[in-house]
């Protein structure tokens, strides 16, 4: 008999090895590598997609064609009835797209998708497939949320073969699979949730969506560190990857886009969790900028750019004398290494000594700031707390700080100023190159170019 070929696969990241070893060199996890037998037949996911596509006319491949001769159809996007959801997806649901939605248990992934399919079912054919819940549980949730369920087709299934067969018969425009970690493909010798099953299930659904122009939503679990569980290829094969996050405030959820082939990345949508489901928040800046009337030292507002819109948030800093020999440095919502760099720049170019001080920074509302436009407001908050001087609550700042002490401009500076002025801010501390040429009445602009100039503005 011919000996079956095998490969050793890491269940955490999907890396492959020729022999077994205790630690995965790619992700660093221990005891996650197991042996899997390779099949000489085509991948199970491709076979499933081919069998399911037999019921669709024109679903076969078109062969090789010149790019200039490819006909692009202007298919309209399907609105989700949630403006925040449409914003994250890039304007709505694209026919034939594959969207992966992840999040912590209880974040509201299934609730958001159930609300979406129920609200669009009046004019759109939808199919909701649940693998973790029974149909009675789905119906109870829909009734508790007072959702219209007349046009929603549901099924409880965990086999990708059967799901594709059901979709071929129903021919929906939107297909929801909840969740991809419990699905399995026939012919794959591993348990549901393993790297092979997740990879083949996602591949089958992706091919099925591309050939039939059915929009597919897949729910994905996350690991303890907040990343999507399963192989990395799961995020590569989908068109959009979004995460539903629950911050420090349990009342609100943030839908953040990490990958989108049909729109901008890093777009966010804010929802409020109520007893009737998720409700979109029209003005998220009002949530993240809920400041007290009397502002304490170390608090300052800033405006960050999230996707295609500005977002106002509050930065807080606490600088206190360290009682121990090793001062603490803790940053929540911003980069820890960025904080260490700013402290060194303030010491070198502004003469502020933080070597014997504990430094803590926080972004109110659990928002995560990735861009460098928060350097200037964070430096001002540190100086405000260090000197014990409060900054006027109508002051807002943004800008990037370099290692030589210069303050660099940031993108979309005029749009940031306009949004902050609309929200009631009147005093602006901005980079010199971002200062507006014509200052409206009632606006006070301080254009800065060096870090040492920030000392004078704090007082």
């Amino acid at each position: 008999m011919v000996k079956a070929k095998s490969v050793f696969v890491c269940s955490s990241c999907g890396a492959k090895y020729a022999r077994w070893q205790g630690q995965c060199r790619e992700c660093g996890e221990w005891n996650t590598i197991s042996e899997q037998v390779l099949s000489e037949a085509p991948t199970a996911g491709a076979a499933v997609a081919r069998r399911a596509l037999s019921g669709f006319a024109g679903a076969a491949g078109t062969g090789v064609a010149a790019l200039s001769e490819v006909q692009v159809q202007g298919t309209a996007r399907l609105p989700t009835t949630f403006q925040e959801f449409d914003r994250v997806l890039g304007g709505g649901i694209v026919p034939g797209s594959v969207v992966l939605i992840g999040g912590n248990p209880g974040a509201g992934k299934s609730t958001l998708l159930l609300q979406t399919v129920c609200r669009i079912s009046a004019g759109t054919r939808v199919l909701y497939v649940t693998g973790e819940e029974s149909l009675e549980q789905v119906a109870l949730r829909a009734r508790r949320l007072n959702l219209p369920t007349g046009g929603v087709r549901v099924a409880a299934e965990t086999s990708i073969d059967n799901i594709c067969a059901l979709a071929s018969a129903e021919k929906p425009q939107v297909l929801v699979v909840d969740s991809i970690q419990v699905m399995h493909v026939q012919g794959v010798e591993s348990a549901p949730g393993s790297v092979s099953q997740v990879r083949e299930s996602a591949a089958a659904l992706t091919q099925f969506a591309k050939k039939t122009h059915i929009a597919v939503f897949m729910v994905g679990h996350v690991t303890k560190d907040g990343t999507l569980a399963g192989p990395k290829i799961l995020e590569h094969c989908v068109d959009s990857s979004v995460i539903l996050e629950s911050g420090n405030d349990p009342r609100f959820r943030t839908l953040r886009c990490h990958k989108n082939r049909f729109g901008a990345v890093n777009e966010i949508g804010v929802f409020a969790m109520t007893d009737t489901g998720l409700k979109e928040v029209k003005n998220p800046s009002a949530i993240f900028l809920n400041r007290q009337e009397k502002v304490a030292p170390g608090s300052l507002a800033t405006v960050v750019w999230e996707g295609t819109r500005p977002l106002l948030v509050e930065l807080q800093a606490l600088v206190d004398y360290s009682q121990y020999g090793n001062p603490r440095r803790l940053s929540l919502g911003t980069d820890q290494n960025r904080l260490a760099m700013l402290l060194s720049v303030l010491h070198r170019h502004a003469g502020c000594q933080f070597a014997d001080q504990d430094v803590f920074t926080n972004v109110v509302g659990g928002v995560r700031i990735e861009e460098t436009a928060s350097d200037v407001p964070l430096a001002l908050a540190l100086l405000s707390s260090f000197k014990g001087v409060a900054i006027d609550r109508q002051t807002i700042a943004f800008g990037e700080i370099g290692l030589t002490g210069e303050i660099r401009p940031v993108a979309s500076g005029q749009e940031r100023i306009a949004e902050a002025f609309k929200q009631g801010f009147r005093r602006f501390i901005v980079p010199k190159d971002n200062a507006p040429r014509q200052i409206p009445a009632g606006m006070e602009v301080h254009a800065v170019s060096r870090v040492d100039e920030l000392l004078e503005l704090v007082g």
Side-chain angles (χ1 to χ4, degrees):
M1 296 179 60
V2 179
K3 185 178 180 180
K5 296 182 179 179
S6 62
V7 66
F8 293 88
V9 182
C10 174
S11 60
S12 178
C13 65
K16 297 181 180 179
Y17 300 94
R19 58 181 60 87
W20 184 89
Q21 56 191 36
Q23 184 185 25
C24 177
R25 295 194 299 267
E26 297 295 332
C27 63
E29 296 291 335
W30 288 87
N31 299 324
T32 58
I33 299 177
S34 58
E35 184 179 9
Q36 295 184 7
V37 179
L38 295 177
S39 175
E40 298 181 358
T43 59
V48 172
R50 284 198 297 269
R51 290 196 299 267
L53 291 173
S54 59
F56 282 81
T62 56
V64 179
L67 182 60
S68 59
E69 299 176 356
V70 176
Q71 299 295 327
V72 179
Q73 299 178 357
T75 305
R77 295 174 181 252
L78 300 174
T80 63
T81 70
F82 287 109
Q83 294 183 3
E84 294 294 303
F85 201 3
D86 289 339
R87 178 191 297 273
V88 174
L89 294 179
I93 304 173
V94 178
S97 63
V98 181
V99 181
L100 176 64
I101 298 182
N104 294 322
K109 306 180 296 295
S110 301
T111 300
L112 176 61
L113 290 176
L114 183 60
Q115 286 183 259
T116 300
V117 297
C118 288
R119 294 171 65 170
I120 68 175
S121 61
T124 304
R125 298 186 304 275
V126 297
L127 175 61
Y128 188 97
V129 180
T130 174
E132 298 181 340
E133 299 176 306
S134 64
L135 297 182
E136 290 78 8
Q137 289 176 301
V138 177
L140 285 174
R141 181 190 291 116
R143 292 175 184 176
R144 177 172 56 86
L145 301 178
N146 297 322
L147 298 175
T149 59
V152 181
R153 306 283 290 176
V154 294
E157 187 60 62
T158 59
S159 172
I160 293 295
D161 301 75
N162 296 339
I163 292 174
C164 291
L166 289 174
S168 300
E170 295 288 337
K171 292 182 173 58
Q173 296 174 269
V174 177
L175 171 64
V176 176
V177 178
D178 186 8
S179 67
I180 191 63
Q181 269 79 18
V182 300
M183 300 298 162
H184 64 90
V185 177
Q186 296 180 5
V188 178
E189 300 297 332
S190 58
S194 62
V195 173
S196 300
Q197 288 287 5
V198 173
R199 180 181 65 246
E200 296 297 335
S201 299
L205 290 175
T206 301
Q207 293 187 31
F208 183 78
K210 298 304 178 184
K211 296 297 183 179
T212 60
H213 299 286
I214 296 177
V216 176
F217 286 87
M218 296 187 297
V219 177
H221 296 170
V222 295
T223 60
K224 59 183 179 181
D225 59 351
T227 59
L228 283 167
K232 198 65 178 179
I233 193 175
L234 178 61
E235 297 182 61
H236 286 296
C237 70
V238 299
D239 297 313
S240 301
S241 176
V242 296
I243 299 293
L244 188 62
E245 304 171 346
S246 55
N248 299 330
D249 195 335
R251 298 173 299 172
F252 300 102
R253 304 289 189 271
T254 302
L255 188 66
R256 184 180 299 273
C257 180
H258 293 276
K259 173 188 177 181
N260 194 355
R261 291 172 178 166
F262 306 106
V265 295
N266 293 328
E267 192 74 67
I268 68 169
V270 182
F271 296 87
M273 178 62 77
T274 65
D275 54 352
T276 57
L278 292 170
K279 292 186 178 180
E280 54 187 345
V281 178
K282 300 293 185 179
N283 186 16
S285 296
I287 299 175
F288 304 127
L289 206 62
N290 188 13
R291 309 179 72 191
Q292 299 179 357
E293 290 295 331
K294 186 179 180 180
V295 180
S299 175
L300 182 64
T302 185
V303 53
V304 297
W305 198 262
E306 292 287 349
T308 59
R309 66 176 174 183
L311 183 66
L312 276 67
V313 296
E314 179 186 357
L315 288 175
Q316 292 181 342
L318 176 61
V319 180
D320 190 25
Y321 177 75
S322 178
Q323 302 294 330
Y324 305 98
N326 187 18
R328 296 190 61 188
R329 303 286 188 264
L330 180 62
S331 178
L332 299 177
T334 57
D335 188 12
Q336 187 91 10
N337 297 325
R338 198 79 185 173
L339 173 62
M341 185 202 75
L342 288 177
L343 293 176
S344 299
V345 172
L346 290 175
H347 174 234
R348 178 65 179 271
H349 300 285
C352 296
Q353 177 61 263
F354 295 93
D356 58 347
Q357 305 287 323
D358 288 331
V359 179
F360 306 92
T361 63
N362 177 44
V363 182
V364 177
V367 181
R368 179 73 183 177
I369 300 179
E370 303 290 347
E371 63 173 359
T372 57
S374 62
D375 289 350
V376 169
L378 188 57
L380 287 170
L382 291 170
L383 294 174
S384 172
S385 179
F386 181 68
K387 302 177 68 174
V389 178
I391 301 177
D392 182 18
R393 71 187 315 270
Q394 289 191 338
T395 301
I396 196 167
F398 62 85
E400 179 183 353
I401 297 179
L403 291 177
T404 58
E406 80 280 7
I407 297 180
R408 298 177 176 273
V410 297
S412 306
Q414 302 304 315
E415 290 80 358
R416 298 172 194 254
I417 295 176
E419 177 66 20
F421 189 75
K422 185 175 65 175
Q423 296 292 337
F425 290 88
R426 296 297 178 262
R427 184 168 178 254
F428 294 83
I429 302 176
V430 300
K432 185 177 182 180
D433 293 337
N434 284 131
R437 296 181 180 178
Q438 295 182 354
I439 301 177
M443 178 185 294
E444 179 185 353
V445 178
H446 297 274
V448 292
S449 57
R450 298 287 304 176
V451 171
D452 52 2
E453 300 177 23
L454 300 179
L455 289 172
E456 304 176 359
L457 298 175
V458 174

